[in-house]
């Protein structure tokens, strides 16, 4: 008997939040609510990782991810951001999600490091060009025009 792969529904929620410092409102963040239906375990991992890999701003509330499905006719709902759930497939989704979030975070960090390195190299080239122009100007001023 060939069993159909399980499908899941994913509910993503981020409440409105306010960043307050010493009684002053510094920023307001609007909430989000999205639902995704008929997802496979791989789809759940990919969709959920998109939200969990987003770095929240200071004072911003993070996302709550609810995984909904059914086992043997019994519905279940699991908060993927919370601890262990007594189901091997859900735990497998949770561990795949953690690996995917880590991969996205590392890729983002690598891109940021590359951009910083390119900026430093460009700044060094600009600084060298300015120094050469300044050297040429000073030579012209104190040594007179160069004649061959």
């Amino acid at each position: 008997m060939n069993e159909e792969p399980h499908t899941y529904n994913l509910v993503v929620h981020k409440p409105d939040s306010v960043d307050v410092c010493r009684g002053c409102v510094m920023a307001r963040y609007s909430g989000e609510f999205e639902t995704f239906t008929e997802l496979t375990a791989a789809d759940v991992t990919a969709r959920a990782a998109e939200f969990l890999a987003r770095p929240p701003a200071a004072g911003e509330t993070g996302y709550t991810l609810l995984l909904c499905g059914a086992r043997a006719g019994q519905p279940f709902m699991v908060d993927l951001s919370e601890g262990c759930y007594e189901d091997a497939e859900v735990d497998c989704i949770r561990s795949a999600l953690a690996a995917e979030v880590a991969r996205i975070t590392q890729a983002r960090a690598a891109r940021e490091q590359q951009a910083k390195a390119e900026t430093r190299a460009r700044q060094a080239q600009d600084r060298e060009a300015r120094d050469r122009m300044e050297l040429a100007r000073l030579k012209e001023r104190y040594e007179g025009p160069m004649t061959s």
Side-chain angles (χ1 to χ4, degrees):
M1 182 160 138
N2 194 3
E3 191 175 314
E4 268 187 46
H6 293 106
T7 59
Y8 302 96
N9 298 325
L10 181 66
V11 178
V12 180
H13 177 253
K14 182 183 79 152
D16 291 340
S17 55
V18 178
D19 183 16
V20 178
C21 179
R22 296 183 182 183
C24 296
V25 175
M26 305 305 286
R28 293 183 189 276
Y29 303 101
S30 61
E32 285 185 53
F33 183 84
E34 294 192 45
T35 58
F36 304 97
T37 59
E38 301 291 322
L39 300 176
T40 64
D43 295 336
V44 168
T45 301
R47 293 280 187 166
E50 292 174 18
F51 292 98
L52 290 180
R54 294 179 187 174
E60 185 178 19
T61 304
Y63 289 93
T64 300
L65 303 169
L66 299 175
L67 179 66
C68 306
R71 284 279 185 279
Q74 294 297 317
F76 69 89
M77 183 168 31
V78 179
D79 186 346
L80 289 176
S81 59
E82 299 215 346
C84 186
Y85 182 71
E86 301 282 331
D87 185 280
E89 192 169 349
V90 172
D91 286 340
C92 183
I93 290 171
R94 185 178 281 126
S95 63
L97 177 59
E100 181 67 10
V101 169
R103 185 194 65 76
I104 291 171
T105 303
Q106 288 173 349
R108 180 184 302 127
R111 283 192 307 271
E112 289 172 357
Q113 288 290 2
Q114 178 68 26
K116 286 179 184 178
E118 290 172 359
T119 300
R120 283 192 299 270
R122 195 169 36 256
Q123 288 173 341
Q125 289 173 344
D126 292 348
R127 192 176 318 113
E128 184 177 344
R130 283 192 307 272
D131 290 349
R132 289 182 186 275
M133 287 177 29
E134 182 67 12
L135 178 62
R137 186 185 68 76
L138 290 172
K139 278 185 175 180
E140 178 73 26
R141 182 174 182 183
Y142 291 109
E143 294 179 359
M146 298 296 276
T147 56
S148 303

